């Protein structure tokens, strides 16, 4: 816990009697609700939906966590039409009222944090610290954005005059209907935050969660509704990427989009296709291939812990996960041996248990990907695999997606495992001869999300900041070499193939991405 008493991503545990008791109560309450059906929330009403999406528990894939109504094309049309119809009134409302609604939503998230965390553990397999961290982050993101709106005074600025009779004002105004498309790895934070940003700035929203985590979106929509978001201003459309995601992108009345997810979908299927007749704002937050650089002056224990937490924490399911390490030859043997020991020490288990560092990987797809990558590594050479590289099917792990954190070393430099985002607990270590060499290798990727350096040389730290191509960078961070950003603390976003705006989320400039400027001159 940090000094505020809040569990965040840099907390080492949530081991506290009050937290244990609250989790115990929440987990029991959620167990009693498992498998229930949830309706669609479209245009201010609930509906049975077009299909049913079964959300299952990755720790025991036989268990259905929730049966969530999924949207079809007619639901999509109705949701966009309702958002369009609601836009004039919502955008005309005093910004202070929108701030109050989003702040209420943040407060409800805080009040329900143990219940929502328990649902998240069942739906996605996060451990207690990660689940509680995400719910706290969601509340903080909402509150932070509300605070940004307030401190910008609604983004109305008096400008200079060219003539004494002129009155000149700059006003930032919303675009209209905003689509929010979210991934499964932070299903509350990465759906809730863009919804809040769009609503605060006066846009209306149609959102689509991942089909892997549809329940999170239902819960969040209910919270925004309870906080006072009027009918039609926010609709939620669980459903496939092809029908709902693509349908939103193609809809002419969708004025802007925030997508968080993979490069392939975000860039190839969305960014390149979204604008048709004229430019439209397209915020795509995508993947990473995040490097950690370890130099001879590093505190190796700190570096090993930092990489272990970033590569294996949440099973590598973070866009910021550390997936490549460039270690200086002088300390390489010691570092690799230490990291392999740290990987071997991780015992994946039931994420509901309080001491568990990692649970199952979150999806069937991740489980299959992991096995495919391990096979590729083995084909690359017997000495490549230094730790892990096995699935776990014993005892209580028989029906879940449990895998061993894996360390690879000495892959050929052009190997796909060093190039592609893996998104599972596999980290590849490469030996380098200098910081120059490490920086060149680290930057040799289409991605540019996060990066970390371990060094006690001030000159190396300066060079790293100057030359690394990434939007979020850390030095000597044992709590996470490349992971663990927090709203208002480390604004989070990517360069190059990791993000489109050059402005990070949870930061000072986020809301500007949802607004367009109107310069107003009145002459007397
Ligand atoms: P994904 O790209 O497969 O899916 C993301 C969302 O897009 C889902 O809701 C999906 O249904 C939808 N979608 C799929 N096809 C679509 C289409 N043709 N049109 C519109 N929408 C479509 O990603 P994922 O597997 O859910 O999430 C993991 C990815 O997200 C990783 O690459 C990770 O790095 C990235 N991510 C990035 C950030 C960030 O802030 N940069 C944060 C979290 C996750």
């Amino acid at each position: 816990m940090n000094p505020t008493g809040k569990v965040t991503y840099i907390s080492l545990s949530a081991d506290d009697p009050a937290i244990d008791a609250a989790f115990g109560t929440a987990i029991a309450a959620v167990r009693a609700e498992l498998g229930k059906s949830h309706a669609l929330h479209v245009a201010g009403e609930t509906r049975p939906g077009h299909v049913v999406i079964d959300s299952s528990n990755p720790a025991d894939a036989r268990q259905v966590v929730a049966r969530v109504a999924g949207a079809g094309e007619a639901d999509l049309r109705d949701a966009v039409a309702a958002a369009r119809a609601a836009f004039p009134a919502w955008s005309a409302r005093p910004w202070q009222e929108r701030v109050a609604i989003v702040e209420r939503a943040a407060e409800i998230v805080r009040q329900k944090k143990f219940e929502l965390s328990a649902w998240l553990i069942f739906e996605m397999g996060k451990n207690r610290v990660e689940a509680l961290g995400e719910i706290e982050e969601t509340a903080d993101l909402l509150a932070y954005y509300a605070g940004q709106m307030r401190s910008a005074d609604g983004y109305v600025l008096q400008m200079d005059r060219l003539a004494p009779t002129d009155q000149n004002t700059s006003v930032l105004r919303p675009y209209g209907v905003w689509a929010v498309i979210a991934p499964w790895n932070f299903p509350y934070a990465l759906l809730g935050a863009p919804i809040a940003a769009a609503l605060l700035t006066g846009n209306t929203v149609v959102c689509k969660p991942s089909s892997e985590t549809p329940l999170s979106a239902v819960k969040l929509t209910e919270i925004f509704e309870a906080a006072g978001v009027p009918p039609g201003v926010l609709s939620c459309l669980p459903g496939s990427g092809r029908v709902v995601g693509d349908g939103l992108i193609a809809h002419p009345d969708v004025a802007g989009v925030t997508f968080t997810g993979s490069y392939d979908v975000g860039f190839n299927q969305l960014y390149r296709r979204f604008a048709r007749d004229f430019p439209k704002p397209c915020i795509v937050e995508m993947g990473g291939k995040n490097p950690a650089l370890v130099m001879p002056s590093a505190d190796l224990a700190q570096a090993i812990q930092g990489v272990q937490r970033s590569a294996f924490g949440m099973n590598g399911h973070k866009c910021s996960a550390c997936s490549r390490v460039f270690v200086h030859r002088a300390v390489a043997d010691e570092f690799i041996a230490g990291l392999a020991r740290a990987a071997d020490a991780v015992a994946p288990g039931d994420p509901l248990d309080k001491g568990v560092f990692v649970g199952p990987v979150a999806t069937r797809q991740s489980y299959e990907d992991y096995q495919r990558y391990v096979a590729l590594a083995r084909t690359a050479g017997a000495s490549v695999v230094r730790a892990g590289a096995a699935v776990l099917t014993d005892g209580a792990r028989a029906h879940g997606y449990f895998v061993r954190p894996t360390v690879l070393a000495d892959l050929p430099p052009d190997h796909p495992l060093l190039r592609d985002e893996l998104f599972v607990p596999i980290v590849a270590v490469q030996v380098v001869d200098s910081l120059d060499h490490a920086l060149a290798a680290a930057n040799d990727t289409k991605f540019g999300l996060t990066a970390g350096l371990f060094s006690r040389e001030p000159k190396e730290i300066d060079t790293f900041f100057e030359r690394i191509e990434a939007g979020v960078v850390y030095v000597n961070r044992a709590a996470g070499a490349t992971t663990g950003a927090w709203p208002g603390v480390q604004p989070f976003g990517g360069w190059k193939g990791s993000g489109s705006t050059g402005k990070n989320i949870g930061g000072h400039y986020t809301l500007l991405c949802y607004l367009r400027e109107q310069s107003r001159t009145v002459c007397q």
Side-chain angles (χ1 to χ4, degrees):
M1 253 180 271
N2 64 24
T4 64
K6 199 178 287 174
V7 168
T8 70
Y9 303 127
I10 64 166
S11 307
L12 296 179
S13 80
D15 202 2
D16 171 291
I19 291 180
D20 290 347
F23 257 121
T25 308
I27 289 168
V30 164
R31 269 194 206 289
E33 299 280 312
L34 288 175
K36 291 210 166 148
S37 295
H38 299 265
L40 270 185
H41 290 246
V42 171
E45 57 177 36
T46 53
R47 319 178 159 186
H50 180 76
V51 287
V52 174
I53 306 169
D54 278 351
S55 182
S56 64
N57 179 356
D60 182 343
R62 298 168 304 175
Q63 184 174 59
V64 174
V65 175
R67 312 200 75 207
V68 178
E73 284 169 18
D75 303 309
L76 191 148
R77 274 197 303 275
D78 292 351
V80 175
R84 190 173 176 208
F87 176 69
W90 178 248
S91 57
R93 246 170 116 154
W95 61 264
Q96 293 88 342
E97 291 180 22
R98 298 196 301 263
V99 164
I101 289 173
V102 170
E103 283 178 337
R104 254 196 314 277
E107 201 38 52
I108 300 172
V109 171
R110 285 206 176 92
Q111 283 159 12
K112 289 174 172 276
K113 68 182 178 186
F114 288 103
E115 178 201 322
L116 296 174
S117 301
W119 279 115
L120 188 48
I121 296 172
F122 275 101
E123 194 171 35
M124 221 215 94
K126 290 194 184 205
N127 72 12
R128 287 185 179 201
V129 178
E130 291 287 350
L132 197 47
E134 179 177 346
I135 301 304
E136 293 277 20
E137 186 195 15
T138 306
D140 277 11
L141 277 162
L142 269 51
Y144 181 79
Y145 288 159
Q148 289 289 306
M149 193 74 192
R150 185 179 285 117
S151 61
D153 205 13
Y155 295 100
V156 178
L157 270 183
Q158 290 310 314
M159 306 302 288
D160 285 346
R161 300 165 195 256
L162 288 181
T165 48
D166 287 0
Q167 200 192 4
N168 304 309
T169 319
S170 156
V171 183
L172 293 191
R173 302 186 59 194
Y175 285 87
V177 179
W178 203 276
V180 173
I181 301 177
W184 49 260
N185 68 331
F186 285 91
Y188 286 89
L190 297 179
L191 195 76
I195 290 175
L199 292 180
L200 280 163
T201 47
N203 298 283
T204 53
V205 175
V206 180
C207 73
K208 190 201 100 58
S210 166
S211 297
E212 302 286 353
T213 50
L215 182 66
S216 55
V218 175
K219 297 272 172 203
L220 270 178
T221 303
E222 288 170 354
I223 287 170
F224 278 110
E225 287 172 355
V229 171
V233 170
L234 169 65
S235 290
C236 173
L237 303 177
S240 75
R242 198 181 43 78
V243 174
V244 180
D246 207 46
L248 281 172
I249 294 318
H251 200 298
D253 289 340
V254 170
V257 62
T258 303
F259 164 92
T260 314
S262 63
Y263 173 89
D264 183 44
V265 175
F267 187 61
N268 292 327
Q269 299 177 48
L270 204 153
Y271 190 85
R272 289 176 189 271
R273 295 173 50 225
F274 182 51
R276 293 182 187 200
D277 301 334
F278 49 80
K280 300 202 269 190
C282 181
I283 304 173
V284 289
E285 308 283 353
M286 298 173 288
K289 189 69 186 167
N290 310 298
L293 285 55
V294 183
M295 293 295 110
S297 67
D299 174 335
L300 282 193
Q302 192 178 56
I304 289 165
Q305 186 184 337
V307 170
Q308 189 256 16
R309 282 180 59 85
S310 281
F312 307 139
M314 227 176 93
N315 266 322
H317 293 331
K318 297 189 182 185
C319 49
S320 56
C322 177
S323 62
R324 298 177 298 155
V325 182
F326 299 101
V327 59
H328 195 283
R329 191 173 301 283
V331 290
D333 288 347
E334 197 184 336
F335 175 84
I336 292 170
L339 185 62
R341 274 196 302 278
D344 283 337
V346 175
D350 186 346
L352 290 168
D353 293 346
K354 68 176 180 177
V356 163
F357 173 58
V358 286
V361 292
T363 68
R364 175 95 216 159
Q365 182 67 53
S366 305
Y367 193 54
E368 288 167 6
D369 287 348
Y370 173 90
Q371 294 173 70
R372 194 160 41 85
Y373 299 143
V374 162
L376 271 178
R378 292 202 192 285
T379 309
S383 66
V384 163
V385 177
R386 298 296 174 89
V391 297
L392 296 159
T393 54
D394 55 317
R397 299 186 282 204
H399 301 288
Y401 306 138
F402 292 93
V403 307
R404 274 202 178 290
T406 298
V407 178
L408 309 176
D410 304 322
L411 282 164
D414 56 353
H415 197 281
L417 292 174
L418 285 168
R419 184 193 61 213
D420 301 334
E421 184 183 39
L422 307 183
F423 223 56
V424 291
I426 298 179
V427 65
V429 186
Q430 298 295 98
V431 178
V432 293
D433 292 306
S434 64
L435 180 60
D436 269 356
H437 182 184
L439 280 165
N443 286 336
D444 185 17
T445 165
K446 69 181 176 219
F447 295 111
L449 192 48
T450 70
L453 169 73
F454 292 91
S455 164
R456 281 177 288 198
E457 294 287 342
K459 208 161 166 279
E460 287 186 341
I461 295 172
D462 287 347
T463 304
F464 170 74
F465 281 144
E466 192 56 34
R467 291 190 19 211
I468 192 72
E469 295 168 358
V472 192
V473 296
Y474 304 97
V475 171
N476 295 330
R477 196 148 177 272
T482 60
T483 48
W486 200 261
V489 180
Q490 289 103 357
F492 187 83
W495 294 8
K496 295 157 64 178
S498 295
S500 63
T501 63
K503 308 288 177 294
N504 295 358
I505 62 174
H508 194 66
Y509 312 107
T510 317
L511 294 189
L512 299 179
C513 301
Y514 293 77
L515 290 161
R516 53 185 170 180
E517 186 165 6
Q518 185 171 61
S519 172
R520 297 176 174 174
T521 293
V522 178
C523 306
Q524 282 175 0

